[in-house]
Amino acid sequence: MPKTSKVVRPVTQEKTNTRVLDQFLPLWSLMASHSDTLVVFYGATAGANGGKLGSDEREIILLVWQIVDLREKKVGKLQRCLAKPDTLELTEQCKEETGLILDDLCKAEPLDRVLQQFQQSVSNELKALGRSSYTLCVDGPLVVRQAFHPEASKKNIVLPDCFYSFVDLRKEFHKCCPNAGPVKELTVASMLQYVCVPPPEAEEVVGVKEVKGMVLLTLHLLSDPYNHKFTSVETVNYKFESGACSKTEPVDSETVIRARGLPWQSSDQDIARFFKGLNIAKGGVALCLNAQGRRNGEALVRFINPENRDLALERHKHHMGNRYIEVYRATGEEFLKIAGGTSNEVAQFLSKENQVIIRMRGLPFTATPEDVLAFLGPESPVTDGREGLLFVKYPDGRPTGDAFVLFACEEYAQNALKKHKQILGKRYIELFRSTAAEVQQVLNRCSSTPLISTLPPPPVVSVPVLATPPFLSSSSTRDCVRLRGLPYTASIEDILEFMGEHTIDIKPHGVHMVLNQQGRPSGDAFIQMKSSDRAFMVAQKCHKKMMKDRYVEVFQCSAEEMSFVLMGGTLNRSGLSPPPCKLPCLSPPTFAAFQPPAAILPSEPALYQPPLLATPRPVQPSAHTAAPALAYYPPQHHPQLYMNMNMNYTAYYPSPPVSPSTVGYFAAQPGAMAAAVAAAAPPAPVVSQTGALVRMQGLPFNTGVKDILSFFQGYQYAPDEYSSVNGSVCNELKELQADTVLVLYDLSGQRSGEALVTFPSPEAARRAVTERSDRLLSGQPVRLACCS
């Protein structure tokens, strides 16, 4: 039976049937490579044609074809058929090139019916010739890859099987005549001229003229002296195959693009559908995540070769639904950074092929595999039960609230997605489609651990307690610059690259990223330079310089202005507004940034968040006076300093504790920056501290200072100190109590679920721990421990 026999498949079952089709793809490729018939094919759209065919998303309006018998070297009847587009509109260029008018198209059939007529016509001719198979022969891949497949994908049209394998006449001609010029520059007219074959008559209509010229060229290549065999068949993938990617895998930068502007709920299959007709490498779609682990509307896509990548770039600003997608070049390093993984656990989880991946977000930290399986229910069984679940955890084993689930088919995954925002425990759960690359990316982020082995041995140095953060100065010298309009994805490394040769003039730890009160990038940063002259030079040279497709404004400013903004104030044309930490009723408090801490902090490292991960930088020579090298001071030597650097002014001053400098930096615990600056300052006497600290763990993330005060009501102060309960005393007592509570934040500006409370005496602290430990706060048990 001919390969072109009509295949009837419901559109709703297209994704399911492509799995079956994919199993027969090698067989079809074999048949095509030994085909005894070519169908010389031409197509035109209602917009750009020729070398720009398909670049403007215009619909197909013209099909022309003619059969060539490779054995007998005979040709069949030339066929020409118009297709009616959904949008009856022709560009002026199309009217001029094709000679068509709208009245001609109004009488035509839609594309799906025209394709059926094409199949039936070719099948009938094959039967008459006694042939069993055929292969499309086209002048370049654009008509198949950039016109028919994208339009069929948007209209849910099932293309005939012949559109998944074709012969490129230009490449076949180049094999016979390699000196004719580059493949991309060849045309039917130039190829005929090179082999001295007269072209078709000039008065032939568009489409007919091209097909007749291609047929003449084909017959000439079949004859002496070439006797060419058409065996090189290009294929189009029926579906995108997901898979894992190793960080050690070589990735050619000429095969990678970045797609931007994607709907946040897009899956890898949706992106593959956008690039339908182009062959994406296995596991070659990597969705990008922002700092909060959510999709940012970008993806990196890896194709099988540079030719497919170049065609993908031609789809710049094509539409996915109502959104246009931007397509840019990217590098193999960028792809591996997002999609590459090294975890054996992830590799084992993703080893099960043909699985649909669903991501669950917002799980209770106490959720077990049995809880998740019960939540999903019997209508959406998980592949291999517990083995099909992957919980995401921090390096210390704490759950993040995320998990990935494998399902054997689309039906089970759809049933699971119906439980989006349903309740598990006391939390609603978000479910959405995911990819293998997203699994790698989330696990890579959460499992990153600091390179403790790179730290130098801790020196024993007497360091004074800092009454104020050393990096906040009241100097009016304009030795700082402000960067405004940074991309939200910009890192400190991006800022250093942006600064270029001026990086050497940055003070140690002088790069300060500014986040908003939600812990997200604000697009601003401050940089402390070694002198006002250097700051002026940077402002002149770097103002409105580009960073990641955005221009950045660079202004010279003073340390005082920088301090106001970093502590939460605003700096605009109206002048300076005071930072929130200066206001009397701020919650949480920031008093420790201006006063010595009220008590000694415990020395146990587990009390704080994991240290920031930083890569050692080589020492760079400087023409200026060398700044003191960064020292690492562990918290057990200087607990007061350690507390000072972990106060929650990170909500308003979220600069990383270790920002890159030209001197060199290491992975250091919070407080190292203050210690480095304090080491260069004159020694000061250590202020004695009184009181006792209680550490709270397991707090709900929306817990405020008032909630904690209510939790410890009656324990804050000794009864003999405040016996009066009149209104004035209560108001004064409330302000004093607020200063004893410290809610801890992580490095991203989010609450960590922990807090420190200062008690007037160790006895009061111990009594509170004994009587209040494991009590419920907003439905969650809170663990208490004394910090000695």
Side-chain angles (χ1 to χ4, degrees), residues 97-118:
E97 292 179 352
T98 63
L100 295 174
I101 58 176
L102 291 179
D103 292 341
D104 299 331
L105 299 180
C106 291
K107 304 173 185 178
E109 297 284 349
L111 180 62
D112 55 345
R113 296 184 184 178
V114 172
L115 288 174
Q116 292 177 7
Q117 297 175 12
F118 163 76

Side-chain angles (χ1 to χ4, degrees), residues 173 253 425 461 749:
F173 177 82
S253 294
V461 182

Side-chain angles (χ1 to χ4, degrees), residues 156-176:
N156 287 323
I157 298 175
V158 180
L159 285 176
D161 299 332
C162 60
F163 284 90
Y164 289 88
S165 59
F166 61 92
V167 171
D168 188 345
L169 184 59
R170 296 187 186 186
K171 293 182 179 179
E172 299 296 324
F173 177 82
H174 191 265
K175 293 178 182 178
C176 300

Side-chain angles (χ1 to χ4, degrees), residues 341-361:
T342 57
S343 171
N344 293 330
E345 183 183 13
V346 176
Q348 183 177 359
F349 177 77
L350 298 175
S351 62
K352 304 176 180 65
E353 295 186 357
N354 298 323
Q355 300 290 319
V356 183
I357 305 175
I358 297 295
R359 181 179 178 184
M360 303 180 69
R361 193 166 59 194

Side-chain angles (χ1 to χ4, degrees), residues 27 32 43 61 76 117 157 177 233 270 326 390 407-408 413-414 425 447 510 516 586-587 606 608 638 666 704 765:
L27 177 61
I61 59 172
Q117 297 175 12
I157 298 175
C177 307
V233 178
D270 295 326
E326 300 175 19
L390 179 63
F407 295 98
Q414 288 289 350
S447 62
N516 58 24
L586 175 69
S587 176
Y608 301 98
H638 310 289
F666 298 92

Side-chain angles (χ1 to χ4, degrees), residues 38 40 66-76 169 192 197 212-228 230:
L38 290 180
V40 178
Q66 188 172 15
I67 289 180
V68 177
D69 188 335
L70 298 180
R71 293 183 184 177
E72 302 295 333
K73 299 179 182 179
K74 296 180 180 180
V75 298
L169 184 59
L192 288 173
V197 175
K212 285 187 174 181
M214 293 167 64
V215 170
L216 290 174
L217 189 60
T218 301
L219 295 175
H220 188 78
L221 295 180
L222 292 172
S223 306
D224 292 332
Y226 303 109
N227 296 317
H228 182 66
F230 292 85

